[in-house]
Amino acid sequence: MLKGKSILGLQDMSKQDIITILDETKIMKKHLLKDEKAMDTLKGKSVVTLFYENSTRTRTSFENACKFLGANVTSISVATSSVNKGESLLDTGKTLDAMRTDLVVIRHSMSGAPAYLDKNINALVVNAGDGMHEHPTQALLDMFTMREHFGKLEGLKVAIIGDIKHSRVARSNIYGLQKFDAQIKLFAPNTLLPQGIQQLAPVCESVEEAIAGSDVVMALRIQLERQQKGLFPSVGEYVKFYGITEERLKLANDNAILMHPGPVNRNVEVDSACVDGEMSKINEQVLNGLAVRMALAKLMLKGE
Ligand code: CP
């Protein structure tokens, strides 16, 4: 029952809603694989993307997803919009409402900005990443990628390695995967672990311990721009103790996969050879991201 609902996070999304989205994504992926990119499912619907932070994958895939389904899509470039003249998020939202917008896809540096917008406008809202809070569509495409490869999510052993503290991707994946009883292990420098994270999932002592026996190795981007804040001694040190290498990946289960939400810092969080290696699902994740966003837009605006 996703019609007419905003998508703000996976913490409060029901398991059944996640299953509905993943099932619809399977249908959308079939369309994409047949190169069907001119449907009229969302004809007459108006979608606006409003990104206050940089993006390549999320923004482009939402825009293409909605266009492939026949919606009118407008992209607001915050850098050249009236936001730069001091317009508030609320006034921007009300302006989009006045333009008869059906769906606003928002990325914002402030946790809670999508929820605030949702409370105050008529259009439906999708959270495309808010601060350090959630990135639900990334986690949904990650879960779809895992389910497609393994045929199930239940009981999967998932190692999440990298900058967990700043990662909305990690949080959404933990919330989503735990609804399916996946077993999650975490590993990061202590400075890149949020306080109290052990209550959500166990933290390992080494990268080897995290990878050993895992079905999924999910690397997270090291946010090099934060390196000035001295969160770890050096990139070289990070690679030595936390980097994912071909040798370390041998510790994972047979048939294990390597994932990364992108963008990747090659040879930092993951060896370049692994990014392009046989275990890597990184490009497949991008395709699945397009399919999941088609599924969401259809379910929210049109129903099942
Ligand atoms: N994974 C992800 O959110 O990528 P972008 O920042 O390019 O959208």
Side-chain angles (χ1 to χ4, degrees), residues 51 54-59 107 128 135 138 168-169 261-263 293:
F51 276 55
N54 297 339
S55 169
T56 299
R57 280 148 283 270
T58 313
R59 181 177 190 147
R107 172 171 287 187
H135 191 349
Q138 177 68 44
R168 48 201 180 202
V169 176
R293 285 155 185 142

Side-chain angles (χ1 to χ4, degrees), residues 19 25 27 33 37 42 50 54 81-83 115 119 165 189 195-196 199 210 219 228 230 246 250 265 269 275 300:
I19 292 170
T25 301
I27 297 168
L33 293 176
K37 296 183 288 192
L42 296 184
L50 179 61
N54 297 339
S81 74
S82 290
V83 170
K119 274 205 183 82
K165 181 173 183 171
Q195 241 184 352
Q199 283 157 17
Q228 296 145 350
E246 286 185 312
K250 287 181 188 157
N265 295 307
E269 58 262 8
V275 173
M300 293 169 72

Side-chain angles (χ1 to χ4, degrees), residues 244 246 249 258 260 264-283:
I244 292 166
E246 286 185 312
L249 280 179
L258 170 67
H260 191 302
V264 180
N265 295 307
R266 282 178 184 257
N267 297 318
V268 180
E269 58 262 8
V270 188
D271 248 17
S272 194
C274 301
V275 173
D276 303 317
E278 280 186 1
M279 287 172 69
S280 174
K281 287 281 180 186
I282 296 171
N283 284 333

Side-chain angles (χ1 to χ4, degrees), residues 115-136:
Y116 173 74
L117 197 62
D118 181 49
K119 274 205 183 82
N120 288 288
I121 66 171
N122 296 320
L124 298 179
V125 175
V126 175
N127 176 5
D130 62 330
M132 294 190 268
H133 177 224
E134 282 222 42
H135 191 349

Side-chain angles (χ1 to χ4, degrees), residues 20 24 41 51 98 100 124 131 165 177 207-208 225 232 239 245 265 268 274-275 290:
T20 303
E24 187 69 37
T41 316
F51 276 55
R100 298 293 179 266
L124 298 179
K165 181 173 183 171
L177 285 165
V207 68
E208 287 82 6
E225 65 271 22
F232 51 89
V239 173
T245 60
N265 295 307
V268 180
C274 301
V275 173
L290 184 55

